[in-house]
């Protein structure tokens, strides 16, 4: 880099700071244009970057944010933001009473108000209390015991019945099932849209999920498949099992017996797999856990074999067994 005007080795003509340099440059450009040698020296060049150069600055910022103490700070800020209470749901008095009626209609509360817990007598009309809670009171003049309507929701754990208003409970039910089959709702996200906090939301989701799980188990147990059935397996989780593990001692012994001439590795991998069978063209499917099988560390999950399918009794759930596909089961004479 040598300046063609002043001969300095620290810059070139384009950045020369001599008093007449700018004029020299424009005359030089004109001259080149007249000569037709260079039609436009800047044609096709990458446009100049706007603003001050930022070389390495964002990288430095990122390393401050994502490593060391900066990372802890960032995580704390994100966690605090998640936990922050928001306004969330708009609640009205009429809405609360309507929500109780809807919950009774949909089976999340008993169809009729339960009797008074103290005297077993009938209870009166719903009353709206502070913060949108709905209560009922025993009509017996000597008893007059009142209770929150949501205490009747026996499917929720005790601690989760009271903190929410009927509208919040209804909205929670709607929001937690809206993403069904797509994305599981998280307690934080749900709490933000309801305007509540983490704990009641996470307890609610736990209760809903255990109900869902029980219902799915029931459905899974009574589903029968027919006609064209496809079987496949998937690995849900992988555990590391030590060669000296007590919990999986049986499986380790089994492996050692099978591979008598092979030295046992220090640890094995245990792939927790599920086998599923589905009837083609329908939504019906049956899931069973695959039998536990150890593999030496570093190897791939065991492929789903006929042996696995046979010992899970998956085939008992299939009515006609002449077309089971996916594992080459047709070859083992299932008819
Ligand atoms: Zn110069
Ligand atoms: Zn009573």
């Amino acid at each position: 880099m040598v300046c063609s005007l002043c001969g300095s080795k620290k810059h070139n003509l384009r950045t020369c700071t001599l008093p007449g340099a700018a004029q020299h440059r424009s005359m030089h450009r004109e001259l080149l244009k007249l000569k037709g040698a260079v039609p436009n020296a800047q044609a096709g060049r990458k446009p100049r970057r706007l603003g001050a150069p930022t070389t390495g600055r964002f990288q430095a910022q990122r390393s401050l944010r994502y490593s060391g103490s900066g990372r802890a700070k960032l995580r704390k800020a994100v966690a605090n933001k998640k936990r922050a209470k928001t306004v969330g749901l708009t609640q009205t008095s009429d809405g609360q009473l309507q929500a109780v009626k809807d919950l009774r209609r949909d089976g999340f509360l008993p169809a009729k108000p339960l009797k008074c817990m103290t005297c077993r007598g009938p209870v009166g009309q719903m009353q709206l209390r502070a913060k949108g809670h709905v209560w009922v009171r025993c009509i017996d003049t000597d008893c007059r015991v009142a209770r929150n309507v949501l205490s009747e929701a026996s499917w929720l754990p005790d601690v989760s019945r009271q903190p929410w208003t009927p509208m919040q409970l209804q909205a929670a039910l709607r929001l937690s099932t809206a993403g069904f089959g797509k994305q599981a709702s998280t307690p934080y996200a749900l709490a933000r849209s309801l305007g509540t906090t983490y704990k009641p939301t996470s307890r609610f989701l736990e209760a809903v999920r255990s109900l869902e799980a029980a219902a799915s188990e029931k459905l899974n147990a009574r589903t029968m498949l027919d006609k064209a059935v496809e079987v496949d397996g998937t690995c849900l989780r992988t555990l590391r099992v030590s060669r000296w593990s007590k919990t999986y001692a049986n499986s380790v012994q089994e492996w050692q017996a099978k591979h008598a001439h092979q030295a046992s590795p220090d640890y094995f991998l245990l792939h927790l797999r599920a086998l599923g069978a589905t009837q083609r063209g329908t939504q019906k499917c049956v899931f069973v856990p695959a039998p536990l099988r150890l593999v030496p560390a570093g190897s791939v999950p065991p492929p789903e074999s006929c042996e696995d399918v046979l010992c899970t009794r998956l085939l008992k759930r299939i009515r006609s067994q002449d077309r089971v596909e996916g594992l080459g089961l047709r070859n083992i004479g299932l008819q």
Side-chain angles (χ1 to χ4, degrees):
M1 188 161 72
V2 180
C3 179
S4 61
L5 187 62
C6 68
S8 163
K9 284 188 177 173
K10 288 183 179 166
H11 62 260
N12 58 19
L13 177 61
R14 213 183 307 173
T15 48
C16 186
T17 50
L18 272 189
Q23 200 179 6
H24 175 80
R25 277 192 294 264
S26 79
M27 282 167 69
H28 186 63
R29 217 178 296 134
E30 287 298 313
L31 183 67
L32 286 176
K33 244 188 220 171
L34 284 175
K35 276 166 93 181
V38 187
N40 178 7
Q42 299 296 320
R45 258 182 86 99
K46 193 175 166 188
R48 276 186 124 190
R49 193 188 177 115
L50 294 172
T54 59
T55 323
R57 202 171 75 201
F58 292 122
Q59 201 179 0
Q61 269 177 10
R62 282 196 295 272
S63 73
L64 272 182
R65 291 186 72 184
Y66 299 126
S67 63
S69 63
R71 180 164 171 259
K73 237 185 246 169
L74 180 73
R75 289 180 72 145
K76 211 171 171 184
V78 170
N80 282 341
K81 202 177 162 197
K82 273 184 181 170
R83 269 186 223 117
K85 264 195 186 184
T86 47
V87 179
L89 199 68
T90 320
Q91 304 191 58
T92 58
S93 319
D94 291 343
Q96 303 293 7
L97 300 178
Q98 188 55 44
V100 174
K101 281 177 199 158
D102 290 348
L103 288 169
R104 287 204 191 286
R105 181 198 63 202
D106 298 336
F108 293 104
L109 289 176
K112 280 181 187 164
L114 297 180
K115 301 256 160 147
C116 171
M117 295 296 165
T118 316
C119 69
R120 299 274 146 207
V123 293
Q125 292 289 313
M126 289 190 281
Q127 306 165 355
L128 204 69
R129 292 207 177 173
K131 291 182 181 167
H133 290 286
V134 178
W135 286 61
V136 284
R137 185 186 272 261
C138 177
I139 55 170
D140 188 293
T141 39
D142 294 329
C143 178
R144 302 298 279 158
V145 170
R147 64 155 195 271
N148 192 321
V149 171
L150 293 195
S151 64
E152 294 173 17
S154 54
W155 55 278
L156 270 171
D158 280 353
V159 281
S160 306
R161 293 180 201 175
Q162 314 276 338
W164 284 352
T165 63
M167 277 185 87
Q168 279 177 323
L169 180 63
Q170 198 186 20
L173 282 164
R174 282 185 181 151
L175 289 170
S176 63
T177 47
F180 184 72
K182 286 175 221 144
Q183 198 181 11
S185 35
T186 63
Y188 280 129
L190 191 56
R192 262 202 304 274
S193 26
L194 292 177
T196 65
T197 44
Y198 176 84
K199 264 192 191 169
T201 327
S202 86
R203 286 191 190 117
F204 163 82
L205 282 178
E206 239 167 66
V208 169
R209 268 178 207 147
S210 67
L211 283 179
E212 249 175 35
S216 323
E217 264 177 35
K218 221 170 153 187
L219 180 68
N220 198 32
R222 63 158 197 255
T223 302
M224 287 297 284
L225 304 176
D226 206 353
K227 292 172 190 153
V229 174
E230 197 171 343
V231 183
D232 203 357
T234 185
C235 182
L236 302 176
R237 183 169 289 192
T238 306
L239 305 178
R240 241 174 83 130
V241 174
S242 161
R243 177 181 160 186
W244 296 279
S245 160
K246 281 177 186 159
T247 320
Y248 298 101
N250 287 343
S251 304
V252 174
Q253 273 172 15
E254 212 173 275
W255 188 90
Q256 283 167 339
K258 240 186 197 173
H259 304 81
H261 302 295
Q262 226 172 309
S264 293
D266 277 352
Y267 69 92
F268 296 89
L269 295 181
L270 180 66
H271 298 281
L272 301 179
R273 293 167 306 152
L275 292 176
T278 175
Q279 181 176 334
R280 288 235 175 110
T282 64
Q283 302 242 314
K284 286 205 280 186
C285 47
V286 177
F287 293 99
V288 287
L292 301 180
R293 255 199 301 149
L294 294 182
V295 289
S299 37
V300 295
E304 300 77 34
S305 64
C306 301
E307 195 190 327
D308 284 349
V309 177
L310 289 177
C311 64
T312 54
R313 298 180 172 196
L314 191 62
L315 297 178
K316 294 235 159 114
R317 316 290 296 285
I318 301 169
R319 270 198 205 98
S320 66
Q321 299 186 347
D322 51 296
R323 266 191 78 199
V324 179
E325 285 181 22
L327 296 170
L329 290 173
R330 267 178 295 179
N331 304 333
I332 55 172
L334 283 165
Q335 284 94 334

